[in-house]
Short mmCIF file of all heavy atoms in Angstrom, two decimals:
data_model
loop_
_atom_site.label_atom_id
_atom_site.label_comp_id
_atom_site.label_asym_id
_atom_site.label_seq_id
_atom_site.Cartn_x
_atom_site.Cartn_y
_atom_site.Cartn_z
N TYR B 165 10.18 -8.00 5.35
CA TYR B 165 9.86 -8.98 4.31
C TYR B 165 11.02 -9.96 4.16
O TYR B 165 10.83 -11.17 4.12
CB TYR B 165 9.60 -8.23 2.99
CG TYR B 165 9.26 -9.11 1.82
CD1 TYR B 165 7.94 -9.46 1.55
CD2 TYR B 165 10.25 -9.57 0.95
CE1 TYR B 165 7.61 -10.24 0.45
CE2 TYR B 165 9.93 -10.35 -0.14
CZ TYR B 165 8.61 -10.69 -0.39
OH TYR B 165 8.30 -11.47 -1.48
N ARG B 166 12.23 -9.42 4.09
CA ARG B 166 13.41 -10.27 3.93
C ARG B 166 13.69 -11.09 5.19
O ARG B 166 14.03 -12.26 5.10
CB ARG B 166 14.61 -9.43 3.54
CG ARG B 166 14.51 -8.97 2.07
CD ARG B 166 15.70 -8.18 1.65
NE ARG B 166 15.39 -6.77 1.92
CZ ARG B 166 16.25 -5.79 1.90
NH1 ARG B 166 17.51 -6.04 1.63
NH2 ARG B 166 15.88 -4.57 2.13
N ALA B 167 13.54 -10.45 6.35
CA ALA B 167 13.80 -11.15 7.61
C ALA B 167 12.88 -12.35 7.79
O ALA B 167 13.29 -13.38 8.34
CB ALA B 167 13.66 -10.19 8.79
N LEU B 168 11.64 -12.22 7.33
CA LEU B 168 10.68 -13.32 7.46
C LEU B 168 10.80 -14.35 6.33
O LEU B 168 10.09 -15.36 6.33
CB LEU B 168 9.25 -12.76 7.50
CG LEU B 168 8.89 -11.93 8.72
CD1 LEU B 168 7.52 -11.29 8.54
CD2 LEU B 168 8.92 -12.77 9.99
N GLY B 169 11.66 -14.09 5.36
CA GLY B 169 11.84 -15.01 4.24
C GLY B 169 10.58 -15.19 3.41
O GLY B 169 10.29 -16.27 2.91
N LEU B 170 9.84 -14.11 3.22
CA LEU B 170 8.54 -14.21 2.55
C LEU B 170 8.63 -14.48 1.06
O LEU B 170 7.68 -15.01 0.47
CB LEU B 170 7.72 -12.94 2.80
CG LEU B 170 7.28 -12.75 4.26
CD1 LEU B 170 6.54 -11.44 4.43
CD2 LEU B 170 6.43 -13.91 4.74
N LYS B 171 9.76 -14.17 0.46
CA LYS B 171 9.91 -14.42 -0.98
C LYS B 171 9.58 -15.87 -1.32
O LYS B 171 8.88 -16.16 -2.29
CB LYS B 171 11.33 -14.08 -1.43
CG LYS B 171 11.58 -14.28 -2.90
CD LYS B 171 13.00 -13.96 -3.28
CE LYS B 171 13.20 -14.21 -4.77
NZ LYS B 171 14.60 -14.07 -5.16
N ASP B 172 10.06 -16.78 -0.50
CA ASP B 172 9.84 -18.21 -0.75
C ASP B 172 8.54 -18.73 -0.13
O ASP B 172 8.00 -19.72 -0.59
CB ASP B 172 11.03 -19.02 -0.21
CG ASP B 172 12.33 -18.64 -0.90
OD1 ASP B 172 12.30 -18.40 -2.13
OD2 ASP B 172 13.37 -18.55 -0.22
N LYS B 173 8.06 -18.07 0.91
CA LYS B 173 6.89 -18.56 1.63
C LYS B 173 5.55 -18.16 1.03
O LYS B 173 4.56 -18.87 1.15
CB LYS B 173 6.93 -18.08 3.08
CG LYS B 173 8.07 -18.66 3.89
CD LYS B 173 8.09 -18.09 5.29
CE LYS B 173 9.27 -18.61 6.08
NZ LYS B 173 9.36 -17.95 7.39
N LEU B 174 5.49 -16.98 0.38
CA LEU B 174 4.21 -16.44 -0.08
C LEU B 174 3.50 -17.32 -1.10
O LEU B 174 2.28 -17.43 -1.08
CB LEU B 174 4.37 -15.04 -0.66
CG LEU B 174 4.51 -13.91 0.35
CD1 LEU B 174 4.67 -12.59 -0.37
CD2 LEU B 174 3.36 -13.87 1.31
N LYS B 175 4.26 -17.94 -2.00
CA LYS B 175 3.61 -18.71 -3.07
C LYS B 175 2.78 -19.88 -2.55
O LYS B 175 1.81 -20.28 -3.17
CB LYS B 175 4.64 -19.17 -4.12
CG LYS B 175 5.72 -20.06 -3.59
CD LYS B 175 6.72 -20.40 -4.71
CE LYS B 175 7.95 -21.05 -4.15
NZ LYS B 175 9.05 -20.16 -3.88
N ASP B 176 3.13 -20.41 -1.38
CA ASP B 176 2.39 -21.52 -0.79
C ASP B 176 1.47 -21.10 0.36
O ASP B 176 0.78 -21.93 0.94
CB ASP B 176 3.37 -22.60 -0.28
CG ASP B 176 4.20 -23.18 -1.41
OD1 ASP B 176 3.65 -23.39 -2.51
OD2 ASP B 176 5.41 -23.41 -1.20
N MET B 177 1.48 -19.82 0.69
CA MET B 177 0.71 -19.33 1.83
C MET B 177 -0.73 -19.04 1.41
O MET B 177 -0.97 -18.38 0.40
CB MET B 177 1.36 -18.04 2.36
CG MET B 177 0.79 -17.55 3.66
SD MET B 177 1.60 -16.01 4.22
CE MET B 177 3.21 -16.62 4.71
N PRO B 178 -1.71 -19.54 2.17
CA PRO B 178 -3.12 -19.25 1.86
C PRO B 178 -3.40 -17.74 1.89
O PRO B 178 -2.78 -16.99 2.63
CB PRO B 178 -3.90 -19.97 2.97
CG PRO B 178 -2.93 -20.94 3.57
CD PRO B 178 -1.56 -20.38 3.36
N GLU B 179 -4.36 -17.34 1.08
CA GLU B 179 -4.72 -15.93 0.96
C GLU B 179 -5.05 -15.29 2.31
O GLU B 179 -4.59 -14.19 2.62
CB GLU B 179 -5.90 -15.80 0.01
CG GLU B 179 -6.27 -14.39 -0.34
CD GLU B 179 -7.36 -14.32 -1.38
OE1 GLU B 179 -7.06 -14.55 -2.57
OE2 GLU B 179 -8.51 -14.05 -1.00
N GLU B 180 -5.84 -15.96 3.12
CA GLU B 180 -6.23 -15.39 4.42
C GLU B 180 -5.02 -15.18 5.32
O GLU B 180 -4.96 -14.20 6.06
CB GLU B 180 -7.27 -16.27 5.13
CG GLU B 180 -8.67 -16.10 4.60
CD GLU B 180 -9.18 -14.66 4.65
OE1 GLU B 180 -9.13 -14.02 5.70
OE2 GLU B 180 -9.65 -14.17 3.61
N GLU B 181 -4.05 -16.07 5.24
CA GLU B 181 -2.84 -15.93 6.04
C GLU B 181 -2.02 -14.73 5.54
O GLU B 181 -1.45 -13.99 6.34
CB GLU B 181 -2.01 -17.22 5.95
CG GLU B 181 -0.97 -17.35 7.02
CD GLU B 181 -0.29 -18.71 7.00
OE1 GLU B 181 -0.95 -19.73 6.71
OE2 GLU B 181 0.93 -18.74 7.27
N GLN B 182 -1.98 -14.52 4.23
CA GLN B 182 -1.28 -13.37 3.67
C GLN B 182 -1.95 -12.07 4.12
O GLN B 182 -1.27 -11.11 4.49
CB GLN B 182 -1.26 -13.43 2.14
CG GLN B 182 -0.37 -14.52 1.58
CD GLN B 182 -0.36 -14.51 0.07
OE1 GLN B 182 -0.18 -13.46 -0.55
NE2 GLN B 182 -0.54 -15.66 -0.54
N LEU B 183 -3.28 -12.04 4.09
CA LEU B 183 -4.02 -10.85 4.53
C LEU B 183 -3.75 -10.56 6.00
O LEU B 183 -3.53 -9.40 6.39
CB LEU B 183 -5.52 -11.04 4.29
CG LEU B 183 -5.96 -11.07 2.82
CD1 LEU B 183 -7.39 -11.58 2.72
CD2 LEU B 183 -5.82 -9.71 2.18
N ALA B 184 -3.74 -11.60 6.82
CA ALA B 184 -3.47 -11.44 8.26
C ALA B 184 -2.05 -10.92 8.48
O ALA B 184 -1.82 -10.05 9.34
CB ALA B 184 -3.68 -12.77 8.99
N LEU B 185 -1.12 -11.43 7.72
CA LEU B 185 0.27 -11.00 7.83
C LEU B 185 0.42 -9.52 7.47
O LEU B 185 1.06 -8.75 8.20
CB LEU B 185 1.14 -11.87 6.91
CG LEU B 185 2.65 -11.76 7.05
CD1 LEU B 185 3.10 -12.11 8.47
CD2 LEU B 185 3.31 -12.71 6.06
N LEU B 186 -0.20 -9.10 6.37
CA LEU B 186 -0.16 -7.69 5.98
C LEU B 186 -0.76 -6.79 7.06
O LEU B 186 -0.21 -5.74 7.38
CB LEU B 186 -0.90 -7.49 4.65
CG LEU B 186 -0.20 -8.01 3.40
CD1 LEU B 186 -1.17 -8.07 2.23
CD2 LEU B 186 1.00 -7.13 3.06
N ALA B 187 -1.86 -7.22 7.64
CA ALA B 187 -2.54 -6.42 8.67
C ALA B 187 -1.74 -6.38 9.97
O ALA B 187 -1.90 -5.45 10.76
CB ALA B 187 -3.94 -6.98 8.93
N SER B 188 -0.88 -7.35 10.18
CA SER B 188 -0.13 -7.44 11.43
C SER B 188 1.02 -6.44 11.52
O SER B 188 1.47 -6.11 12.61
CB SER B 188 0.43 -8.85 11.62
OG SER B 188 1.53 -9.07 10.73
N ASP B 189 1.49 -5.94 10.38
CA ASP B 189 2.63 -5.03 10.39
C ASP B 189 2.60 -4.15 9.14
O ASP B 189 2.83 -4.65 8.03
CB ASP B 189 3.93 -5.85 10.43
CG ASP B 189 5.17 -5.00 10.64
OD1 ASP B 189 5.14 -3.78 10.32
OD2 ASP B 189 6.18 -5.54 11.12
N GLY B 190 2.34 -2.87 9.34
CA GLY B 190 2.26 -1.94 8.22
C GLY B 190 3.53 -1.86 7.39
O GLY B 190 3.49 -1.49 6.22
N MET B 191 4.67 -2.20 7.98
CA MET B 191 5.93 -2.14 7.25
C MET B 191 6.04 -3.25 6.20
O MET B 191 6.92 -3.22 5.35
CB MET B 191 7.12 -2.18 8.21
CG MET B 191 7.14 -0.99 9.17
SD MET B 191 7.06 0.63 8.36
CE MET B 191 8.78 0.83 7.94
N LEU B 192 5.14 -4.22 6.24
CA LEU B 192 5.11 -5.26 5.21
C LEU B 192 4.34 -4.83 3.97
O LEU B 192 4.42 -5.46 2.93
CB LEU B 192 4.48 -6.54 5.78
CG LEU B 192 5.33 -7.34 6.75
CD1 LEU B 192 4.51 -8.47 7.37
CD2 LEU B 192 6.57 -7.90 6.06
N ILE B 193 3.59 -3.74 4.09
CA ILE B 193 2.74 -3.28 2.99
C ILE B 193 3.51 -2.31 2.10
O ILE B 193 4.18 -1.39 2.59
CB ILE B 193 1.47 -2.58 3.54
CG1 ILE B 193 0.68 -3.56 4.41
CG2 ILE B 193 0.61 -2.03 2.40
CD1 ILE B 193 -0.48 -2.94 5.16
N LYS B 194 3.41 -2.51 0.80
CA LYS B 194 4.03 -1.59 -0.16
C LYS B 194 3.42 -0.22 0.04
O LYS B 194 2.21 -0.07 0.13
CB LYS B 194 3.79 -2.07 -1.59
CG LYS B 194 4.47 -1.18 -2.62
CD LYS B 194 4.78 -1.95 -3.86
CE LYS B 194 5.46 -1.09 -4.89
NZ LYS B 194 6.90 -1.01 -4.71
N ARG B 195 4.28 0.78 0.09
CA ARG B 195 3.80 2.12 0.37
C ARG B 195 4.32 3.12 -0.64
O ARG B 195 5.34 2.87 -1.27
CB ARG B 195 4.17 2.51 1.80
CG ARG B 195 5.65 2.44 2.06
CD ARG B 195 5.95 2.65 3.54
NE ARG B 195 7.37 2.73 3.71
CZ ARG B 195 8.15 1.74 4.08
NH1 ARG B 195 7.64 0.57 4.35
NH2 ARG B 195 9.45 1.90 4.20
N PRO B 196 3.61 4.21 -0.76
CA PRO B 196 2.34 4.50 -0.11
C PRO B 196 1.19 3.69 -0.71
O PRO B 196 1.25 3.27 -1.86
CB PRO B 196 2.14 5.99 -0.39
CG PRO B 196 2.83 6.22 -1.69
CD PRO B 196 4.02 5.29 -1.68
N LEU B 197 0.18 3.50 0.09
CA LEU B 197 -1.06 2.85 -0.35
C LEU B 197 -2.14 3.92 -0.32
O LEU B 197 -2.43 4.49 0.72
CB LEU B 197 -1.42 1.70 0.59
CG LEU B 197 -2.83 1.11 0.49
CD1 LEU B 197 -3.10 0.57 -0.91
CD2 LEU B 197 -3.03 0.01 1.52
N ALA B 198 -2.66 4.23 -1.50
CA ALA B 198 -3.73 5.23 -1.61
C ALA B 198 -5.00 4.51 -2.04
O ALA B 198 -4.98 3.65 -2.92
CB ALA B 198 -3.35 6.31 -2.62
N TRP B 199 -6.13 4.87 -1.42
CA TRP B 199 -7.37 4.13 -1.61
C TRP B 199 -8.55 5.07 -1.44
O TRP B 199 -8.59 5.87 -0.51
CB TRP B 199 -7.39 3.01 -0.57
CG TRP B 199 -8.69 2.36 -0.27
CD1 TRP B 199 -9.40 2.45 0.90
CD2 TRP B 199 -9.44 1.47 -1.10
NE1 TRP B 199 -10.53 1.69 0.83
CE2 TRP B 199 -10.59 1.07 -0.39
CE3 TRP B 199 -9.27 0.99 -2.39
CZ2 TRP B 199 -11.53 0.21 -0.91
CZ3 TRP B 199 -10.21 0.14 -2.91
CH2 TRP B 199 -11.33 -0.25 -2.18
N ASN B 200 -9.52 4.99 -2.35
CA ASN B 200 -10.68 5.87 -2.24
C ASN B 200 -12.01 5.12 -2.11
O ASN B 200 -13.07 5.68 -2.31
CB ASN B 200 -10.76 6.83 -3.44
CG ASN B 200 -11.09 6.12 -4.74
OD1 ASN B 200 -11.20 4.90 -4.80
ND2 ASN B 200 -11.25 6.89 -5.80
N GLY B 201 -11.94 3.84 -1.81
CA GLY B 201 -13.15 3.04 -1.69
C GLY B 201 -13.45 2.21 -2.92
O GLY B 201 -14.22 1.26 -2.87
N GLU B 202 -12.83 2.58 -4.04
CA GLU B 202 -13.03 1.86 -5.30
C GLU B 202 -11.71 1.52 -6.00
O GLU B 202 -11.58 0.48 -6.60
CB GLU B 202 -13.91 2.68 -6.25
CG GLU B 202 -15.33 2.88 -5.76
CD GLU B 202 -16.12 1.59 -5.57
OE1 GLU B 202 -15.94 0.65 -6.38
OE2 GLU B 202 -16.88 1.50 -4.60
N GLN B 203 -10.78 2.46 -5.95
CA GLN B 203 -9.50 2.30 -6.64
C GLN B 203 -8.36 2.39 -5.64
O GLN B 203 -8.47 3.05 -4.62
CB GLN B 203 -9.31 3.41 -7.67
CG GLN B 203 -10.38 3.46 -8.73
CD GLN B 203 -10.10 4.61 -9.68
OE1 GLN B 203 -9.45 4.43 -10.68
NE2 GLN B 203 -10.60 5.79 -9.34
N ALA B 204 -7.24 1.76 -6.00
CA ALA B 204 -6.06 1.80 -5.13
C ALA B 204 -4.81 1.91 -5.98
O ALA B 204 -4.76 1.45 -7.11
CB ALA B 204 -5.99 0.54 -4.28
N THR B 205 -3.81 2.57 -5.40
CA THR B 205 -2.47 2.56 -5.98
C THR B 205 -1.50 2.13 -4.90
O THR B 205 -1.68 2.46 -3.72
CB THR B 205 -2.05 3.95 -6.53
OG1 THR B 205 -2.21 4.93 -5.50
CG2 THR B 205 -2.85 4.34 -7.76
N LEU B 206 -0.49 1.39 -5.31
CA LEU B 206 0.56 0.92 -4.40
C LEU B 206 1.87 1.46 -4.91
O LEU B 206 2.20 1.29 -6.08
CB LEU B 206 0.60 -0.61 -4.38
CG LEU B 206 -0.63 -1.28 -3.77
CD1 LEU B 206 -0.80 -2.68 -4.30
CD2 LEU B 206 -0.49 -1.29 -2.27
N GLY B 207 2.63 2.10 -4.02
CA GLY B 207 3.86 2.73 -4.46
C GLY B 207 3.53 4.05 -5.15
O GLY B 207 2.39 4.51 -5.12
N PHE B 208 4.54 4.65 -5.76
CA PHE B 208 4.30 5.92 -6.46
C PHE B 208 4.93 5.88 -7.84
O PHE B 208 6.14 5.82 -7.99
CB PHE B 208 4.85 7.11 -5.67
CG PHE B 208 4.72 8.41 -6.40
CD1 PHE B 208 3.48 8.92 -6.70
CD2 PHE B 208 5.84 9.12 -6.80
CE1 PHE B 208 3.34 10.13 -7.39
CE2 PHE B 208 5.73 10.33 -7.49
CZ PHE B 208 4.47 10.83 -7.78
#
Side-chain angles (χ1 to χ4, degrees):
Y165 180 89
R166 286 182 269 168
L168 293 172
L170 293 177
K171 181 181 179 187
D172 299 321
K173 294 177 183 174
L174 282 180
K175 61 182 168 265
D176 298 321
M177 189 180 288
E179 187 175 284
E180 281 303 308
E181 197 173 324
Q182 290 182 48
L183 291 167
L185 190 58
L186 287 165
S188 73
D189 188 337
M191 298 306 278
L192 286 172
I193 300 171
K194 182 153 180 86
R195 57 188 187 263
L197 166 59
W199 162 249
N200 69 355
E202 295 299 323
Q203 300 179 92
T205 53
L206 293 155
F208 176 64

